[in-house]
Amino acid sequence: MLALRLARGAHPLLQLRRLLVTTASAGVGFLLLCALGHAVAHPGQSSASLLRLGWCVLPLAAAVHLAVAVARTDPSTRPRPGLSSVGLGPARLTLIAATSTALACALGSALALLVYLHLRGDLTGLPFDGAAAGLLGAGQPLPLPGALTLLAVTPVTASTLAGITLRPRRPRADPDAGAPGQDGDAESVARDPFAPTPAPTGLPWGVTLIAVGLAVEVYGARGADGSAAPLPGGFPGSPVPVLAGWTLTALGLAVAGPGLAHLCGRLIQAYRPGATRLLSGRALMDESHRIGRPLGVLCAVVSAAIAAGALYGQTISRPLGPLTGLGAGLVLACATAALLTAAIDTRQSRAGTTAALIRLGAPAGLLRTAALLRTAVLLAVFTPLTWAVATLAALPLRA
């Protein structure tokens, strides 16, 4: 009940984020129901139906990534002084965040079921009823337990991962300041605002995963024995090692994202920086933990889209199917929305620092120039990296 009250009284921008989560959950639920409808309409093609269901993992992962990003940036579930005295400690706030995520995803799943039944022709009286009856396996009864089980995957997964991500962590004890929590609870331990942000440690691991992924793609394409895993949308089948290499490469980009963003902040401040470069670089180093991971995920998605587009133009000329287009668009939209959510959250977290700089007489143009400089450096680093990874990922399959 408290989660419902917080959701109803939230800021309109936060409501828009939750609406995006609901929409993403609805798209995933619709794709899962389409896979179930194909299995019901074609009982002799169990392998094809299982393949359709397996490819729904990518949109599911993208929707869960967006849901966790929105839950992490929800200001109503952040620990604040005084909340523990009324029973809203870190553990309770984590439970509220997980519940809010589950409600948003469950609403999307319910909407997906209604749209699916309507386009299938089971619900009549509205425009476009039965418009996709042939595609959705109309004429066969839809197993309700199976449909409800598939629709519950997104809310359960998103709420569980949101709870794990936002779970309260015990702060590290400062030997000079005494043990944390002596004055009440963990909220009494304040972080030094002038302490440097520790650099992310995932850059070497991310680079290693990218290199290993590209190597697996090359050797997998050379050593293919003719057996290939079929791809959606009419693409020719690819060897399983190549798909595994693509997965490792995408994971490497996501892992290396925070470290690359932190490195961009250091590059901005290199060699006699002025006030603008110092402000821009320090802010980017502080934001690298928040904005680096969704930026790396978006680069992985864009690189996969570029590689797929290059291969698509060389192999087949017919357009993509509607379900393939829906899944690809859903993955790209969720990755973009997660990055924008992180960017808005970092801007809001800098509101106090920005106000203090303005009170000290800093011109507004200085702050705008620093923000543009951060954006330009990130684009200058991540854009060629994304293009290079996409080119190398598509190279083994062009031969």
Side-chain angles (χ1 to χ4, degrees), residues 79-378:
R80 290 184 295 273
L83 290 182
S84 296
S85 60
V86 295
L88 293 178
R92 183 70 180 277
L93 291 177
T94 301
L95 180 60
I96 292 175
T99 304
S100 301
T101 302
L103 290 175
C105 293
L107 180 59
S109 297
L111 180 62
L113 180 60
L114 293 177
V115 173
Y116 178 82
L117 294 177
H118 176 62
L119 295 179
R120 196 170 181 259
D122 296 338
L123 297 180
T124 59
L126 295 175
F128 304 105
D129 54 342
L135 182 63
L136 304 181
Q140 299 292 334
L142 188 68
L144 185 59
L148 295 180
T149 301
L150 291 177
L151 291 176
V153 170
T154 305
V156 171
T157 305
S159 60
T160 302
L161 290 182
I164 294 175
T165 303
L166 301 177
R167 70 186 185 279
R169 295 175 175 84
R170 186 181 298 276
R172 297 180 179 178
D174 188 355
D176 297 330
Q182 290 180 346
D183 296 334
D185 51 19
E187 297 174 1
S188 61
V189 181
R191 178 182 176 271
D192 185 6
F194 299 101
T197 303
T201 59
L203 182 57
W205 295 102
V207 174
T208 303
L209 286 174
I210 294 174
V212 171
L214 294 175
V216 169
E217 291 178 34
V218 173
Y219 287 104
R222 289 181 178 179
D225 54 356
S227 61
L231 298 177
F235 287 95
S238 297
V240 175
V242 174
L243 298 180
W246 280 4
T247 304
L248 289 176
T249 303
L251 182 61
L253 284 173
V255 173
L260 288 175
H262 193 274
L263 182 61
C264 290
R266 287 187 175 275
L267 291 177
I268 293 176
Q269 303 175 81
Y271 190 69
R272 298 180 181 179
T276 303
R277 290 169 56 193
L278 280 175
L279 179 62
S280 179
R282 180 58 186 271
L284 187 55
M285 291 172 62
D286 291 339
E287 299 166 1
S288 61
H289 293 80
R290 294 182 179 180
I291 203 172
R293 186 62 54 81
L295 183 58
V297 172
L298 180 60
C299 289
V301 172
V302 173
S303 64
I306 294 174
L311 294 175
Y312 187 86
Q314 293 181 357
T315 54
I316 53 179
S317 58
R318 65 182 180 86
L320 292 174
L323 298 182
T324 304
L326 174 61
L330 184 61
V331 172
L332 182 60
C334 288
T336 306
L339 177 59
L340 293 178
T341 299
I344 294 175
D345 180 63
T346 55
R347 181 180 179 181
Q348 292 176 348
S349 66
R350 293 196 313 268
T353 304
T354 302
L357 290 174
I358 293 177
R359 288 196 302 268
L360 292 175
L366 174 65
L367 301 178
R368 288 193 295 266
T369 304
L372 291 176
L373 181 59
R374 290 195 299 270
T375 304
V377 172
L378 288 176

